[in-house]
Amino acid sequence: MSTDISGASWQQEVESARRRAQTGHGYALGRAALAFLLVVLIAVVVFAFEISSGLDRDQLNMVLLALATFGLASIPLVLNQGLPRERRHIFITLLALLFIAAYALPPLIYYIPTTSPTDAPGFAHSYLERSDLITGQLTALFGLGILLVSYSLPIGRSLARLFPQPHIDWPLSTLLVVSIAMLGIGWAVLIPGALGLIPPDLGSGIIGAFTMGTIYANVALTLAWIRHRSFAALTLLLLNIMLGGLFGLVGGSKTQVLIRPFLTVLTYVLVRGTVPARWIALGTVLVALVYPASQMARDLRTTYPSFASAFADPVGMLTAIGAGSRSWEFSEWMETGIEATSHRFDALGGASVLLRDTPSRVEFQNGRTLGLFFVAWVPRILWPEKPNIMIGQWVTDVYGSGPHISSNTAPTHIGEYYINFGILGVVLGMFVIATVGRVAQESLMKQNPTAPAIVVMTVFLYHLILKFEGSVGGMYAGIGFAIIPIYFIHRIVRLTLPTVRNDDQEGSGDAPREPSPLARPNWQSSST
């Protein structure tokens, strides 16, 4: 049975699609206007509240800089509301939210109300004056401006054209097979490694990236649920989240508890093209609930000195955590969790310490810490004395509490760029991350994204968000170590499992698409 569509009827379909697109565009502009008004309202309310609190000059300057950072970071959030879902730039949206959490909120929540001088989280005896924090705010605001300008330049779009557009997609059966394989390999490496059965030298670098299969599998499973409503995928997704949460709780690792649900949410955000505010609030509450529990698990290290001993007696470990939690009032639990969460996202304090002490007390590194990215690619089994590419302990020794304390203190991206090349380092660093992000956005997410493209983009954003305060070289190396196995998985899939070709240039991949007003069916162009 064939269906004949005349040129007139096709024009009617095109005109109908054009009207629906115009209606949707008007609705999007309305959302953008509403978002802009909301940003202005928040800024006015906060400013009025702070003014009424009787602030001194430095405190008032900190309020103005915090609101300026919030306003500048809100620009991509507002502009994205005026775009169709499939054209929204999730990379710059998430990075803008990170700047708000790391540089706009800490002054309002912590540094302005407290007395001066004060210590930055993780930097004992740093004695930051408000003038030091203002310098940090100015530098972060400048870096944010460079980031937004660099992202808007045509360089990233031009470079993206050098990469082939992904067009090979994974159907449901392939998504499930890949997910099961990643889960099997990941847990087969992760559990023996935690029990000390795998030598640390073999567990680093690219080999260690395979343990991330237990995390990256959640991306494929979430796609299978969103696109195909697969009950099997949903079941595996929930089981993996629960097992990972138990694994992290027993080991006292907040990351292991939270990272699997986080990857699930991040995948949803990429596919749907929106960041629901209620999810941000829910995520904050979840992190606040987990922090005290994981800290209790760490405090039990006298009884369970290693993960292997805790894993050997998980019931005893969980019983001890439960007994400890019953001694807390819920309000005290939440207050402790929220305070720890706010300190976890605070990058202003650390950046201000590094800016203040360089080069007055510590000389510029001239690219030494950034060059650790290249060191990361040498296997430790070939270079037993290879330095640690994560510079957290070095930051503790030189800028923080001192070498007598064992702690990985986050340098922050702004701080690490500055201690290498000063303000020029901040400019170059923000330019690079903006350009890399634009290339990823344009080459992976511009068209109807395939499952492998969404997996790669999710992994990229995961490492960016997780390491936003950490080592720059470690972040970029982590992205590379993660993408390499995904690339080989995709090559193996193309050789052994069913795939489908995705050449559609329109739509978001999760909803029926309208006929394009600029195209007609190919078979209509020929005359009979």
Side-chain angles (χ1 to χ4, degrees), residues 162-491:
L162 301 178
F163 296 89
Q165 293 291 331
H167 60 273
I168 301 298
D169 211 341
W170 297 346
L172 174 61
S173 59
T174 300
L175 282 169
L176 291 175
V177 170
V178 169
S179 301
I180 293 171
M182 294 174 76
L183 288 173
I185 295 173
W187 284 110
V189 175
L190 183 59
I191 293 178
L195 295 175
L197 302 178
I198 298 179
D201 290 350
L202 296 179
S204 62
I206 297 177
I207 295 178
F210 283 100
T211 64
M212 301 299 289
T214 63
I215 297 173
Y216 301 151
N218 274 28
V219 181
L221 292 172
T222 304
L223 281 173
W225 168 249
I226 293 175
R227 288 182 166 181
H228 307 284
R229 288 297 187 264
S230 168
F231 181 76
L234 180 62
T235 302
L236 286 173
L237 179 66
L238 295 177
L239 287 174
N240 191 43
I241 289 175
M242 288 188 291
L243 180 59
L246 180 62
F247 189 84
L249 189 60
V250 170
S253 171
K254 299 180 291 292
T255 300
Q256 286 292 334
V257 173
L258 297 170
I259 202 60
R260 290 169 184 83
F262 172 73
L263 261 291
T264 301
V265 171
L266 186 57
T267 306
Y268 179 92
V269 166
L270 279 175
V271 173
R272 298 298 190 189
T274 184
V275 185
R278 62 185 181 276
W279 283 19
I280 297 176
L282 181 62
T284 303
V285 172
L286 180 61
V287 173
L289 287 170
V290 167
Y291 258 89
S294 63
Q295 188 58 49
M296 270 189 260
R298 293 185 179 186
D299 293 341
L300 289 171
R301 288 294 168 84
T302 54
T303 306
Y304 301 97
S306 66
F307 185 88
S309 61
F311 196 78
D313 185 21
V315 175
M317 181 73 167
L318 294 175
T319 301
I321 293 175
S325 64
R326 284 193 293 271
S327 64
W328 289 59
E329 294 289 341
F330 181 74
S331 59
E332 181 187 6
W333 182 288
M334 287 300 299
E335 182 180 353
T336 302
I338 291 174
E339 181 180 358
T341 302
S342 63
H343 287 173
R344 175 65 180 85
F345 285 104
D346 176 13
L348 175 62
S352 299
V353 172
L354 270 62
L355 265 65
R356 181 196 63 186
D357 293 348
T358 309
S360 62
R361 193 174 65 82
V362 183
E363 61 183 12
F364 284 114
Q365 298 303 302
N366 299 317
R368 185 187 69 84
T369 68
L370 301 176
L372 292 173
F373 166 79
F374 302 101
V375 174
W377 297 92
V378 181
R380 193 172 295 276
I381 197 170
L382 300 179
W383 185 8
E385 296 81 20
K386 184 177 82 169
N388 189 351
I389 65 169
M390 309 304 290
I391 65 171
Q393 186 60 54
W394 176 80
V395 173
T396 302
D397 297 345
V398 178
Y399 291 95
S401 303
H404 60 286
I405 298 296
S406 178
S407 176
N408 288 312
T409 305
T412 75
H413 279 203
I414 293 289
E416 186 171 357
Y417 291 136
Y418 184 86
I419 66 173
N420 278 278
F421 300 112
I423 289 296
L424 178 61
V426 175
V427 173
L428 295 177
M430 292 295 103
F431 172 79
V432 170
I433 189 59
T435 304
V436 171
R438 189 61 186 263
V439 170
Q441 180 76 40
E442 295 289 335
S443 60
L444 297 174
M445 303 300 296
K446 184 177 181 180
Q447 299 180 358
N448 182 20
T450 64
I454 293 176
V455 172
V456 171
M457 189 66 177
T458 305
V459 168
F460 169 67
L461 291 174
Y462 156 71
H463 282 276
L464 174 65
I465 295 172
L466 191 69
K467 305 289 178 60
F468 185 67
E469 297 180 32
S471 167
V472 174
M475 181 198 74
Y476 282 111
I479 292 172
F481 289 146
I483 291 178
I484 288 174
I486 295 172
Y487 170 79
F488 283 109
I489 288 172
H490 183 54
R491 302 303 300 180

